[in-house]
Amino acid sequence: MIKTLAAQIKEFKKDSVLTPIFMILEVLFETMIPFLMASIIDKGVETGDIGHICKVGAAMAVLALCGLWAGMMGAKYASRASAGFARNLRKAMYDNIQTFSFSNIDKFSTAGLITRLTTDVTNLQMAYQMLLRMFTRAPASLICAMVMAFTINAELASIYLVAVIGLGICLVLIMSRATKYFQQVFKKYDELNASVQENISGIRVVKAYVREDYENNKFFKAAENVYKMFIKAENIIVANMPLMMFAVYACILGLSWLGANMIVVGDLTTGELMSLLTYCMNIMMSLMMLSMIFVMVTMSFASAERITEVLNEKADICNPEKPVKEVKDGSIVFKDVSFSYKKDSQESVLSDINLEIASGETIGIIGGTGSAKSSLVNLISRLYDVTKGEVLVGGVDVRAYDLEELRNQVAVVLQKNVLFSGTILENLRWGNKNATEEECKRVCELACADEFIENMPEKYHTYIEQGGSNVSGGQKQRLCIARALLKKPKILILDDSTSAVDTATDAKIRKAFAQEIPDTTKLIIAQRISSIKNADRIIVMEEGKINGMGTHEELMETNAIYRDVYQSQNQGGGDFDENVKQGGEKE
């Protein structure tokens, strides 16, 4: 874990090295001041030597200024190093997340990834800055003060040794008890973020069903859980200060009592006693800083583990050593394909799929909910890898292709249509960042999106809100289809992508595809048979297997499921899942 995190320091190594150096210099300058103060009292104040007081006082002022300068430089470099470290961590995590396949993404919740990129990184940034500054300063100050105290009077300085050992044992016990609560609190943060994200993204549904009170209570419970967990940890850590102050006052009392007796008999001077009392505060404050460091490290340890999980997660799907850089055509072949989302799963989502699709062919895919239609087409663009068998595109196994090249030639319009904040043109250019406005307009004509875009005040420069919240479901689907067409793919997959489009517009889109992109292989998943009726072939899926395949006329004669669905849709019904059950019973 430490090695993984340390690798992200990168260009801030120099700042990370300079910070401890300046902190040690600051400690050295500060440690000399009490020593000189003893000289002022013993050789200046008691003897009335004004010259000595001025000389030593000037030296103390110089040391104080030097300590101030060293402290400022240490703070400067520590801030730069910790902020840079946090920046690199966020970038490394974000970059790694971009390489994840769908199976990798499934391991992490969205709220969990957001917490890792924000709260967890902030905790680690604060801990790193504290380590660079305080973790150097506190031990250095402790050691220097102890050395100077023993130099002045070893017998009195032994009081510090007893206090340090006793206090150290207490701090270890406190930290060990608090650690388990800090490790749990960030899981509660995930629940809190999940509640916020779910509420905001679904705010229209919340208001439509008047569930504001329910969502408020849900958020309050998540916030309350975080609060309670922090309270449990803080109730333990709060013992730090009383223990520290008890140790400080005990040392002062011990020094005052024993020191006064030693001054009376002449074994100690007043100035030396004053220096020892000052070093007492230095030592105890160093222990206080160490306890704060332990608190931060304890809190950040859980964050460090969570960040490391993301950084160490390796993409399940990656390029082969010598990838194929060209997709010859849009032909697709499934050979004995089986697939399950979890490698160790005993049940397959897809089983024994054998299928050949010629380049330029239009294939309709229909089936009930959970029949694995989407899973089938996701294997083509290698969003998932097959568990068994192979999928060939252009005569080559998809696992042999360069991922970028394959996905550029296999355009997928997923079930969940996503638009990003920006203009319509900016969203369309996700398909081709170099596309001209004329090319964008052309694909919008094919997807029948130009019909509503031209009626907008700013037309193609109209701003789309995050998630496409200011356009309708059908408009969003047509924009997503246009975006996919802009890639000029050899294979176009429409995964139930016209479900929110009226039948007339759906027919226009299909007609435009047939006329304008005849050489592109088209796979259309649909619930309406009218959307795929004119396809070259139609595949009927049931429980992860191909139940039937053929033209509309062939399936009407040979496949009971397809026939019953067609009849029910023509009669005004059309619940596919229900008809699959009825058809299965009839067969």
Side-chain angles (χ1 to χ4, degrees):
M1 181 176 73
I2 294 175
K3 185 178 179 181
T4 301
L5 296 174
Q8 300 306 319
I9 299 173
K10 295 180 180 177
E11 68 268 34
F12 298 98
K13 289 178 182 176
K14 179 182 176 183
D15 299 300
S16 300
V17 171
L18 286 174
T19 301
I21 292 173
F22 280 111
M23 298 315 297
I24 291 171
L25 285 174
E26 182 185 18
V27 168
L28 290 174
F29 291 137
E30 288 181 355
T31 306
M32 292 301 298
I33 292 174
F35 190 76
L36 294 177
M37 184 175 65
S39 177
I40 286 180
I41 294 170
D42 294 336
K43 298 179 181 179
V45 175
E46 292 186 358
T47 61
D49 189 347
I50 301 299
H52 182 78
I53 292 173
C54 293
K55 182 179 178 182
V56 177
M60 290 173 66
V62 171
L63 286 172
L65 289 172
C66 290
L68 176 64
W69 171 77
M72 290 173 61
M73 295 302 292
K76 171 187 172 182
Y77 287 116
S79 298
R80 186 185 296 172
S82 59
F85 177 55
R87 184 200 70 183
N88 289 345
L89 278 177
R90 287 195 176 97
K91 186 177 185 302
M93 277 198 292
Y94 193 81
D95 288 346
N96 201 38
I97 290 169
Q98 298 305 307
T99 68
F100 287 175
S101 65
F102 282 13
S103 57
N104 291 115
I105 291 290
D106 293 341
K107 295 178 184 178
F108 303 95
S109 67
T110 304
L113 288 173
I114 292 171
T115 304
R116 285 168 166 87
L117 283 162
T118 52
T119 306
D120 287 329
V121 172
T122 300
N123 287 336
L124 218 56
Q125 177 182 348
M126 293 171 64
Y128 186 60
Q129 186 178 70
M130 191 168 281
L131 282 172
L132 289 178
R133 297 186 65 194
M134 299 301 183
F135 197 66
T136 304
R137 177 187 170 82
S141 182
L142 179 65
I143 292 167
C144 289
M146 289 289 283
V147 168
M148 295 301 291
F150 273 93
T151 301
I152 293 170
N153 191 295
E155 186 178 347
L156 285 177
S158 60
I159 294 174
Y160 300 144
L161 201 57
V162 174
V164 167
I165 293 171
L167 200 55
I169 293 171
C170 292
L171 290 176
V172 169
L173 292 173
I174 289 170
M175 290 304 106
S176 62
R177 290 190 61 192
T179 299
K180 63 178 181 180
Y181 293 115
F182 283 123
Q183 288 174 338
Q184 295 173 25
V185 76
F186 293 106
K187 293 179 182 177
K188 302 298 180 185
Y189 263 126
D190 287 351
E191 295 174 10
L192 186 70
N193 283 341
S195 177
V196 174
Q197 180 191 1
E198 190 175 50
N199 180 269
I200 293 174
S201 60
I203 192 68
R204 289 169 174 78
V205 178
V206 172
K207 290 188 176 298
Y209 284 86
V210 197
R211 298 284 282 178
E212 290 90 345
D213 290 341
Y214 171 80
E215 287 295 323
N216 286 340
N217 290 333
K218 183 178 173 183
F219 176 80
F220 178 76
K221 287 178 182 178
E224 184 73 9
N225 287 334
V226 174
Y227 164 76
K228 286 179 179 178
M229 201 60 68
F230 264 121
I231 287 295
K232 287 179 180 179
E234 294 294 341
N235 281 341
I236 296 171
I237 291 173
V238 77
N240 268 357
M241 184 61 74
L243 283 171
M244 189 66 61
M245 296 315 296
F246 174 78
V248 169
Y249 292 134
C251 287
I252 290 173
L253 285 172
L255 284 171
S256 299
W257 175 259
L258 296 174
N261 289 330
M262 294 178 76
I263 290 172
V264 171
V265 299
D267 292 336
L268 188 73
T269 67
T270 306
E272 289 173 338
L273 179 59
M274 292 296 295
S275 295
L276 286 170
L277 288 171
T278 305
Y279 286 130
C280 171
M281 293 304 297
N282 284 355
I283 291 167
M284 294 305 135
M285 289 306 296
S286 297
L287 285 174
M288 177 62 79
M289 283 190 284
L290 282 173
S291 69
M292 291 171 61
I293 292 167
F294 283 124
V295 171
M296 278 305 304
V297 169
T298 301
M299 289 179 62
S300 63
F301 187 78
S303 295
E305 286 183 328
R306 287 157 56 83
I307 290 170
T308 305
E309 283 178 7
V310 177
L311 292 175
N312 287 340
E313 180 72 17
K314 301 299 180 185
D316 293 338
I317 296 175
C318 54
N319 278 340
E321 290 185 8
K322 295 181 179 178
V324 177
K325 294 284 188 177
E326 181 184 358
V327 179
K328 293 181 180 179
D329 56 49
S331 61
I332 305 166
V333 178
F334 286 79
K335 290 186 179 179
D336 301 317
V337 169
S338 294
F339 169 71
S340 59
Y341 285 102
K342 294 183 178 179
K343 294 180 181 179
D344 55 350
S345 176
Q346 299 298 318
E347 295 183 6
S348 294
V349 177
L350 290 166
S351 302
D352 304 319
I353 303 295
N354 285 285
L355 176 65
E356 291 188 15
I357 301 171
S359 182
E361 199 171 3
T362 299
I363 302 294
I365 303 175
I366 198 166
T369 303
S371 60
K373 306 183 296 295
S374 296
S375 300
L376 180 74
V377 297
N378 283 342
L379 300 177
I380 298 170
S381 57
R382 210 185 167 199
L383 297 177
Y384 291 96
D385 268 341
V386 297
T387 305
K388 178 185 173 185
E390 56 182 350
V391 178
L392 281 67
V393 171
V396 178
D397 192 320
V398 291
R399 290 169 290 193
Y401 279 113
D402 175 75
L403 275 174
E404 185 176 345
E405 176 61 21
L406 175 66
R407 290 174 183 171
N408 275 333
Q409 296 303 328
V410 182
V412 184
V413 183
L414 298 168
Q415 271 183 317
K416 187 177 180 181
N417 298 285
V418 177
L419 294 174
F420 298 88
S421 53
T423 64
I424 290 176
L425 277 176
E426 288 171 347
N427 271 277
L428 292 173
R429 283 173 178 152
W430 273 67
N432 179 1
K433 62 183 179 181
N434 298 317
T436 63
E437 189 167 339
E438 289 303 316
E439 289 175 318
C440 292
K441 288 181 179 179
R442 179 58 182 156
V443 293
C444 286
E445 289 173 7
L446 294 179
C448 296
D450 61 319
E451 296 174 0
F452 67 87
I453 294 174
E454 292 296 336
N455 292 327
M456 291 179 168
E458 297 181 50
K459 296 184 169 46
Y460 287 85
H461 297 281
T462 300
Y463 190 82
I464 301 293
E465 300 293 341
Q466 184 179 4
S469 58
N470 59 333
V471 290
S472 70
Q475 290 171 341
K476 190 189 298 185
Q477 285 186 336
R478 282 180 275 175
L479 286 172
C480 289
I481 292 170
R483 180 174 64 188
L485 289 173
L486 204 56
K487 295 176 74 172
K488 299 178 181 178
K490 289 185 169 64
I491 299 172
L492 176 63
I493 299 171
L494 302 179
D495 188 354
D496 206 13
S497 301
T498 56
S499 58
V501 175
D502 61 88
T503 52
T505 303
D506 187 14
K508 287 181 184 178
I509 294 172
R510 286 186 280 109
K511 183 178 179 181
F513 285 176
Q515 293 176 349
E516 301 292 337
I517 50 172
D519 297 330
T520 298
T521 305
K522 295 168 281 293
L523 279 73
I524 304 171
I525 296 175
Q527 290 293 332
R528 294 188 303 231
I529 285 181
S530 59
S531 298
I532 56 174
K533 183 178 178 181
N534 296 321
D536 297 321
R537 282 185 294 165
I538 300 168
I539 298 169
V540 180
M541 297 290 298
E542 184 185 22
E543 296 181 355
K545 295 182 179 180
I546 296 177
N547 179 273
M549 181 167 57
T551 63
H552 170 71
E553 290 75 16
E554 290 170 347
L555 289 173
M556 285 293 292
E557 293 179 6
T558 62
N559 193 275
I561 295 175
Y562 185 86
R563 185 169 56 250
D564 287 343
V565 173
Y566 177 75
Q567 290 172 354
S568 65
Q569 288 184 357
N570 282 346
Q571 292 167 6
D575 187 324
F576 195 93
D577 293 325
E578 185 63 32
N579 281 284
V580 166
K581 293 175 185 176
Q582 293 174 0
E585 289 171 2
K586 290 180 181 180
E587 279 191 320

